Amino acid sequence: MLEANGTARRVMRSQVLGPVISIPTKREARQMMNSLLRPINQGIRRPQATMAFGDFARKWEEAVLPTYRVSTCNFYRDVLRRHLVPKFAQYRLCDIHTPDLQIFLNQKAERYARSVLHHIRATLSRVCTSAKEWGYLDSNPVAGTRLPLRRTIRPKVTFQPGEVCKIRDHVEGRYRMLVFLIAVTGMRVSELLGLQWSDIDFERRLLHIQRTYYRGNFGLPKTRTSERVIPISDGLLYALQQHKRHVRKSAMDLVFPNADGKPYEASNLLQRVLHPALASCGLRKTGWRVFRRSVATTLSEMREPVRTTQQVLGHSSPHTTLAFYTQSVEESQRNAISKLEGIMFPNVPKFEKGSPLIH
């Protein structure tokens, strides 16, 4: 056994080889015993870890999480404490097997969307990978699991251009530029709050994304492709120039400073600015990411190349843009069906509303 402090302890165990009727001779029994002992005698089999998952999770948080970005660190910690530790805290690492994890994911699928299941599985896999690398596990039990089949969930919220205008008009004046900028660029809110005037090249009309602000900390963009340059349109250029003239100066050179000259907290803005505006407009409550989905969807409706949308949003893969951000608009679906109808049945006459299809 491998103790919690990393030292190995020998434990005497007995194991039944099988009924006598199926092992008639001592020679066969000895051969079976040798096959069981061989991995141990050859040093192939590692000692089983007695450390509980909850204890290992705390060690993993202390040793591994500080190596990640602040936002990623908070993400993994949240998944651990909300989903994994409550379930597996008392399990010994050596007692967590693939079937147990598959059942756990299946149960979670009854309450959560597939994206949440992906986050749970990814976090658990990271923890078990470290346990394997540190000698607590022989293999990663998460590797053999699969995400349950996609269940029917409500479509993700996106805003139509008219709805975005209503939202902007319903927020307090000093926040309208913030909503305008995030709505036309699809910037992450952490990128928006970390934006400085030195990041904006008014002469060349370029906006440089090169830092983020999240829960009291400045950091680098999410990925290398997130560190990007967004061209500025004429309307956005004029709006930024006007905003710079009227916004209070900040020692941090922030484009959107709070009353103390420091960055806003995204969660506070969500509660005090966006959610009240959505309620006033009669729109469903949602988060800042809705503007990224709305930009992706609108660009798709405009028939802009996926590559363009990917570059604007700073995605590392076009799959992310298509699978998680682009939503299909009902009218576009209707037009697509009409076009398909014309191709499949070009000789079928166009019927007026109320006229019979079959005579």
Side-chain angles (χ1 to χ4, degrees):
M1 281 290 184
L2 188 65
E3 299 288 359
N5 60 8
T7 61
R9 177 171 61 88
R10 187 177 294 275
V11 178
M12 300 297 292
R13 284 200 181 94
S14 61
Q15 182 169 340
V16 177
L17 298 178
V20 175
I21 191 172
S22 62
I23 313 173
T25 66
K26 287 185 177 181
R27 180 180 179 183
E28 290 183 53
R30 189 173 296 278
Q31 288 176 341
M32 293 180 66
M33 181 183 70
N34 289 337
S35 66
L36 291 173
L37 293 175
R38 190 174 298 113
I40 299 175
N41 294 334
Q42 294 178 351
I44 298 174
R45 183 176 176 182
R46 295 179 179 178
Q48 288 185 318
T50 59
M51 178 181 282
F53 179 86
D55 295 331
F56 184 82
R58 283 192 290 272
K59 175 179 285 191
W60 188 80
E61 285 189 47
E62 294 175 3
V64 176
L65 289 190
T67 66
Y68 293 119
R69 297 170 62 248
V70 174
S71 57
T72 305
C73 177
N74 289 327
F75 165 78
Y76 283 131
R77 182 178 289 113
D78 182 63
V79 175
L80 270 174
R81 297 179 180 180
R82 182 177 298 183
H83 299 285
L84 300 179
V85 171
K87 171 66 177 179
F88 297 108
Q90 302 305 318
Y91 281 61
R92 296 188 306 171
L93 288 174
C94 60
D95 293 334
I96 299 177
H97 303 295
T98 300
D100 305 317
L101 300 182
Q102 187 63 65
I103 293 172
F104 169 70
L105 290 173
N106 294 345
Q107 293 171 343
K108 287 290 184 180
E110 297 176 3
R111 294 184 55 196
Y112 296 99
R114 189 176 177 86
S115 58
V116 177
L117 300 180
H118 175 76
H119 294 158
I120 294 173
R121 185 180 183 274
T123 303
L124 187 55
S125 182
R126 294 267 185 174
V127 174
C128 290
T129 296
S130 294
K132 179 183 175 183
E133 292 172 348
W134 298 348
Y136 290 94
L137 290 176
D138 290 330
S139 60
N140 183 349
V142 183
T145 61
R146 296 182 179 180
L147 291 183
L149 293 176
R150 187 188 303 271
R151 68 183 181 88
T152 303
I153 58 175
R154 295 175 67 182
K156 293 180 178 179
V157 178
T158 58
F159 294 142
Q160 296 298 310
E163 293 172 331
V164 174
C165 289
K166 287 177 62 178
I167 295 170
R168 182 202 60 194
D169 293 341
H170 279 79
V171 300
E172 188 180 334
R174 56 180 169 154
Y175 300 118
R176 287 181 182 173
M177 183 60 214
L178 185 149
V179 171
F180 180 53
L181 183 58
I182 199 172
V184 297
T185 63
M187 294 171 62
R188 297 177 178 89
V189 68
S190 60
E191 297 168 346
L192 189 79
L193 300 180
L195 192 66
Q196 297 178 349
W197 287 114
S198 58
D199 300 325
I200 302 176
D201 187 335
F202 285 97
E203 184 176 344
R204 299 177 60 197
R205 299 197 304 168
L206 297 173
L207 191 155
H208 297 264
I209 306 297
Q210 48 195 8
R211 82 184 58 76
T212 61
Y213 178 80
Y214 181 77
R215 295 187 181 180
N217 295 278
F218 286 97
L220 295 174
K222 186 175 182 180
T223 63
R224 283 190 296 177
T225 51
S226 298
E227 191 169 347
R228 62 200 186 278
V229 178
I230 302 176
I232 300 175
S233 62
D234 292 338
L236 181 55
L237 177 67
Y238 176 77
L240 285 169
Q241 289 171 334
Q242 294 301 308
H243 178 68
K244 188 173 184 180
R245 287 178 55 191
H246 296 97
V247 73
R248 64 169 55 90
K249 298 296 185 291
S250 162
M252 295 183 178
D253 194 35
L254 295 170
V255 176
F256 299 105
N258 62 17
D260 298 324
K262 299 178 180 179
Y264 286 105
E265 289 293 340
S267 57
N268 290 339
L269 284 179
L270 187 67
Q271 299 297 326
R272 295 191 296 105
V273 179
L274 183 58
H275 283 173
L278 294 178
S280 299
C281 296
L283 297 173
R284 178 176 157 190
K285 182 186 290 188
T286 185
W288 290 108
R289 190 176 298 179
V290 67
F291 290 104
R292 286 174 63 76
R293 286 197 297 270
S294 300
V295 167
T297 299
T298 303
L299 289 174
S300 175
E301 293 297 309
M302 293 165 56
R303 301 294 188 267
E304 293 294 334
V306 175
R307 176 64 175 166
T308 299
T309 306
Q310 177 192 349
Q311 291 174 328
V312 169
L313 298 180
H315 288 152
S316 57
S317 165
H319 171 74
T320 302
T321 306
L322 290 171
F324 299 105
Y325 283 85
T326 304
Q327 303 286 312
S328 180
V329 177
E330 180 180 324
E331 190 59 31
S332 295
Q333 297 179 43
R334 184 174 293 108
N335 292 336
I337 295 298
S338 297
K339 292 178 182 178
L340 180 63
E341 173 190 308
I343 294 173
M344 298 290 285
F345 303 101
N347 298 322
V348 174
K350 305 300 179 184
F351 294 95
E352 299 294 333
K353 183 178 181 180
S355 62
L357 180 62
I358 300 177
H359 297 278

